[in-house]
Amino acid sequence: MGINLHSSIGRYYLASALFMLVLGLVFGVVAAFNYIIPGFSQEYLGFIQLRPMHVSCVMFFILMGACGCIYCGLQSAQPDTISKPLAYMQLVIWWIAIIAILFSYSQQQFGGREYWEFPPKYALIIAITWVLFLVNYFIAATKIKKWPVYIWMWMTGIIFFLFTFLENYLWEFPYFREHFLKDLTIQWKANGSLVGSWNQMIYGTAFFLMERISGERSTAKSNLAFALYFLGLFNLMFNWGHHIYTLPTESYIRYVSYIVSMTEWIFLLRIFYTFKSTVTTARKNYYYFPYRFLLASEVWIFFNMMLAIVMSIPAFNLYTHGTHVTVAHAMGTTIGINTMILIAACFEFFMPHNEEFAKGSKVLNVFYWMLQIGLLLFWLSLIIIGIQKGIWQMGAQTTSFSSMMQSLQAWFYVFVSTGIILMASLSSLAFILLHAFLTKKKYLHF
Amino acid sequence: MAISFFSYSLVLYSNKNYTYQSNYDHTKAIDGQLVWQKYNCQSCHQLYGLGGYLGPDLTNIISVKGKDKQYILAIIQSGSKQMPVFHLNEQEKENLITFLISTDASGTADPRTYIKQSNGMIYKHGN
């Protein structure tokens, strides 16, 4: 293709995203220590600050990573169509927002809700950056003929993120706070679809990378690709109610969400159906790190989809809702799927494209497997903790909440230890990629 | 599909099928929710199982035997091994307690009150 992405603005977003990832990991591990050492670091930065710092940093990692991949993708598909001034302005405003938000958390200034605990005034800054992104996207994308699926997915993700992000702030209007249950219903409608919107952007990136790695344009233009896109979009719009099965709200919300959530079986069946060709492709491309991380994300899609489908059945949800099984799902998908795809993208845009480098990268190999094994143990520990809490909450509850949490201490130690392994492996990968970015070696050739 | 989504959204926004209890001051309850957000209670606690998992669910805490308004205020003011001390003013305390009365009045967060059907669906006892 011969497209030079060396000066692509997307790389600056990806580098920013990696930095946010490292921060998010550090805050996450320090926060986790509160599970084994009550009141850990409360004097300096308590859990009440660390949790939102961790969540916000991770979300900014995903969002900036998605922006970076999309800008690189647009540059690749249709060179020199992105407005660089708009893109740089967006990046600068993002950083202003991030610094303001992290500072406000450190000063215990909150006021927002789940995922967006910062003072609501900063949401305006994020909304502005997103409008700039939307405008820039259409400036570039409208010049592309015959959109492959990832261009549709990116567009969908960007539009729905803006819509659901604004919907997340409807509570600012007194009308939406009149009744607590209605308020909570709308909040989790927004949150559920919000996650779906950034998944569209990230999974679109996976399609883009697969097209580049395979060299087959048909990958992203096939009927199957578009069918999966529509299925994902359908779930984004209507399955959010599985977050609130036990909320005494309208029962039709429960029915709609249950039925729609079960269509995700199709994703699972597709993994089984394409397993043989996945293995053949894996053998061919194993040494190529972008592919290897995409392959890892496929494996994690399988594990997390199994868990998600079980959790989406209301009768099972009674046991998992409000427990660490939910955390296992959230972290399993964020790290196992979204992060793997973004790391794959960073390798694609920052590192050498040759087998000699990949085979010689013993260090990368070690961190890769440390990440996979660490994540598996981390995920399993959360599921075990969650199941035990679920059994307690559905049982006679003869012991108090604090006694129940105390009984899980050994598993919390596993959770924290494996969290440290995750931090070490992911941070190391991030530092290696950032080094490649900062040394500006010309790795980008096609 | 987009039209269905926006229509569904509008139905939810305009829904007025929720019952309103009369045993508390609604204005104070709404302000109390802002106090909940101001002090980021959701980082450790849940309402209807939604929030952080370090502490217990507080949806129905106000009606738990032995954990009335005075108990809750005492915990907020003195903290515990895991929970920091919070310095709420009198109005904030009043509003937060009223908010917790409203969450309790909205229903029960106890998942054991649901009955499981063979098709995987759940429904509330009495519905």
Side-chain angles (χ1 to χ4, degrees), chain A residues 235-438:
Chain A
N235 274 274
L236 180 164
M237 289 178 177
F238 299 109
N239 82 357
W240 48 266
H242 58 222
H243 294 110
I244 51 172
Y245 279 148
T246 56
L247 190 69
T249 185
E250 299 282 18
S251 57
Y252 62 76
I253 294 170
R254 221 174 275 137
Y255 281 97
V256 168
S257 307
Y258 184 22
I259 293 165
V260 173
S261 297
M262 289 303 105
T263 62
E264 292 197 316
W265 271 104
I266 297 170
F267 289 119
L268 207 57
L269 290 171
R270 182 194 159 256
I271 292 173
F272 284 121
Y273 186 72
T274 57
F275 179 71
K276 199 174 167 187
S277 63
T278 304
V279 170
T280 309
T281 315
R283 282 193 181 127
K284 212 168 95 180
N285 296 294
Y286 182 73
Y287 291 106
Y288 186 53
F289 273 96
Y291 177 78
R292 209 194 286 193
F293 278 93
L294 283 181
L295 179 66
S297 75
E298 280 255 1
V299 173
W300 282 107
I301 286 172
F302 173 73
F303 284 133
N304 283 292
M305 195 64 77
M306 295 279 286
L307 181 63
I309 287 172
V310 168
M311 288 167 67
S312 295
I313 298 170
F316 287 109
N317 188 268
L318 290 177
Y319 290 86
T320 64
H321 183 69
T323 77
H324 291 78
V325 174
T326 307
V327 183
H329 168 69
M331 294 213 186
T333 50
T334 303
I335 304 172
I337 304 172
N338 294 354
T339 302
M340 297 294 172
I341 292 170
L342 287 175
I343 297 283
C346 288
F347 268 99
E348 179 70 10
F349 299 126
F350 291 170
M351 300 290 269
H353 284 208
N354 58 70
E355 199 172 304
E356 289 74 33
F357 164 78
K359 278 186 177 172
S361 294
K362 288 194 174 92
V363 168
L364 283 176
N365 205 35
V366 164
F367 290 133
Y368 174 84
W369 283 109
M370 206 168 135
L371 172 58
Q372 306 309 323
I373 294 166
L375 180 56
L376 180 65
L377 296 173
F378 181 79
W379 188 69
L380 287 172
S381 70
L382 283 167
I383 289 173
I384 290 166
I385 291 166
I387 288 172
Q388 294 192 69
K389 186 184 176 189
I391 292 169
W392 172 84
Q393 78 183 15
M394 288 296 283
Q397 293 185 22
T398 50
T399 55
S400 66
F401 174 82
S402 53
S403 300
M404 179 272 296
M405 290 290 275
Q406 190 62 35
S407 71
L408 298 173
Q409 275 296 291
W411 289 108
F412 282 129
Y413 273 96
V414 175
F415 161 61
V416 174
S417 307
T418 50
I420 292 170
I421 294 172
L422 278 180
M423 180 181 71
S425 54
L426 268 173
S427 297
S428 302
L429 287 165
F431 283 131
I432 290 169
L433 288 163
L434 279 169
H435 178 259
F437 167 76
L438 288 169

Side-chain angles (χ1 to χ4, degrees), chain B residues 32-70:
Chain B
Q33 191 172 11
L34 297 177
V35 174
W36 173 274
Q37 289 172 211
K38 178 182 174 186
Y39 291 94
N40 202 21
C41 305
Q42 67 235 357
S43 67
C44 301
H45 293 288
Q46 313 109 55
L47 294 169
Y48 285 106
L50 301 159
Y53 299 138
L54 198 60
D57 189 297
L58 297 182
T59 312
N60 305 113
I61 191 73
I62 203 88
S63 58
V64 170
K65 197 175 169 190
K67 293 183 179 175
D68 59 3
K69 171 183 171 178
Q70 297 310 322

Side-chain angles (χ1 to χ4, degrees), chain A residues 71 74 78-87 131-144 147 155 158:
Chain A
Y71 277 133
L74 289 172
Q78 196 76 27
D80 303 320
T81 49
I82 301 162
S83 163
K84 279 189 184 169
L86 268 184
V131 169
L132 292 175
F133 186 37
L134 184 66
V135 168
N136 214 352
Y137 187 81
F138 277 106
I139 287 173
T142 45
K143 296 186 172 72
I144 298 170
W147 285 8
M155 180 196 73
I158 294 167

Side-chain angles (χ1 to χ4, degrees), chain A residues 1 3 69-82 135-155 158 208 211 217 220-221 226:
Chain A
M1 277 182 263
I3 309 296
C69 293
I70 292 168
Y71 277 133
C72 284
L74 289 172
Q75 175 75 0
S76 171
Q78 196 76 27
D80 303 320
T81 49
I82 301 162
V135 168
N136 214 352
Y137 187 81
F138 277 106
I139 287 173
T142 45
K143 296 186 172 72
I144 298 170
K145 290 180 186 157
K146 288 188 189 166
W147 285 8
V149 74
Y150 49 82
I151 299 288
W152 285 101
M153 291 176 82
W154 288 337
M155 180 196 73
I158 294 167
F208 169 71
E211 183 191 71
R217 289 280 194 184
K221 288 186 176 166
F226 278 94

